[in-house]
């Protein structure tokens, strides 16, 4: 009876590890898809709001034309304060994609449905098809 319990416990552990690996793989795939410069520019060219979530100093040093600067820590509060519709097309970017990813997650968690993490500024600027 002890052997069966150990085997069952081992199988449960393997199942848990397998499910965790699948979750991590799915999450990595989702994040990678959210940082395609081609898709970001398609959305921008279609009229999406462009949010630069870097600091004011970074924004002043250079940004995408037409971008609005709202630091990532206050994006949700500012969009809510300005009564921005949760269906508004929004592309967010920062230096590397990390801060825009954090801001994007906060917006999605709050019910925004049309947000996109455009990734880093240099990656977007390097894309020549815009």
């Amino acid at each position: 009876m002890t052997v069966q319990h150990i085997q069952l416990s081992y199988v449960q552990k393997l199942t848990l590890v397998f499910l965790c690996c699948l979750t991590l793989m799915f999450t990595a795939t989702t994040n990678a898809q959210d940082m395609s410069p081609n898709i970001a520019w398609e959305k921008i060219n279609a009229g999406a709001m462009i949010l630069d979530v870097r600091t004011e100093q970074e924004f002043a040093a250079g940004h995408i034309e037409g971008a609005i600067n709202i630091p990532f820590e206050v994006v949700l509060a500012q969009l809510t304060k300005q009564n921005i519709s949760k269906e508004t097309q929004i592309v967010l970017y920062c230096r590397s994609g990390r801060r825009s990813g954090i801001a994007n997650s906060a917006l999605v968690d709050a019910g925004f449905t049309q947000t996109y993490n455009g990734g880093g500024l240099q990656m977007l600027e390097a894309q020549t098809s815009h």
Side-chain angles (χ1 to χ4, degrees):
M1 188 160 211
T2 307
V3 173
Q4 288 177 335
H5 178 55
I6 292 172
Q7 289 176 341
L8 184 58
S9 177
Y10 179 74
V11 169
Q12 288 174 334
K13 288 178 185 177
L14 280 179
T15 302
L16 184 58
V17 168
F18 177 73
L19 291 174
C20 287
C21 288
L22 280 178
T23 301
L24 288 173
M25 288 179 3
F26 176 74
T27 301
T29 302
T30 301
N31 289 339
Q33 290 173 348
D34 271 1
M35 290 184 20
S36 164
N38 288 333
I39 294 173
W41 280 112
E42 285 175 17
K43 292 177 180 295
I44 291 167
N45 290 332
M49 175 187 293
I50 311 165
L51 289 184
D52 182 324
V53 300
R54 300 174 301 152
T55 65
E56 289 180 29
Q57 295 81 9
E58 289 174 300
F59 185 80
H63 56 271
I64 293 175
E65 184 178 337
I68 299 165
N69 180 228
I70 304 175
F72 82 100
E73 304 96 331
V74 296
V75 165
L76 179 57
Q78 286 298 316
L79 294 184
T80 302
K81 182 180 176 181
Q82 295 174 15
N83 293 318
I84 302 298
S85 168
K86 292 185 177 184
E87 287 77 39
T88 301
Q89 289 276 337
I90 303 171
V91 173
L92 302 95
Y93 74 91
C94 62
R95 184 186 58 80
S96 67
R98 186 186 69 80
R99 289 175 284 177
S100 54
I102 293 168
N104 188 54
S105 292
L107 293 176
V108 169
D109 289 348
F112 284 79
T113 60
Q114 302 297 318
T115 63
Y116 189 78
N117 179 7
L121 175 61
Q122 288 182 341
M123 184 171 65
L124 288 168
E125 288 180 329
Q127 181 61 283
T128 57
S129 66
H130 67 275

